[in-house]
Amino acid sequence: NIFVAADGTGEMQLFKTDVFLDTGDFPLLDTDGTAIVIHANQDDQLAQPIGGAGPRIACGLVEVG
């Protein structure tokens, strides 16, 4: 989940421990690229496949540069 305050600052919850930039089982910078998708609602950590998070409201490509 991503929490953004009125002043634009934010925090993100991350529950995946085996994600790395370029190593391990799930590298973010592999050959097919990586994107982030933001949904309208909070993930309930139960419902599948998107945790009841509702419609997609934003997405973007993850790049390191």
Side-chain angles (χ1 to χ4, degrees):
N1 291 314
I2 300 172
F3 303 94
V4 180
D7 66 1
T9 60
E11 295 181 8
M12 179 176 72
Q13 288 180 316
L14 201 60
F15 295 101
K16 193 99 172 115
T17 59
D18 54 356
V19 175
F20 302 93
L21 285 179
D22 56 8
T23 62
D25 292 334
F26 302 101
L28 291 177
L29 302 178
D30 60 6
T31 57
D32 67 351
T34 298
I36 184 170
V37 176
I38 299 174
H39 293 261
N41 304 312
Q42 183 171 328
D43 188 324
D44 64 14
Q45 307 298 318
L46 298 172
Q48 292 299 323
I50 61 165
R56 298 173 183 166
I57 61 169
C59 67
L61 179 64
V62 175
E63 293 182 318
V64 176

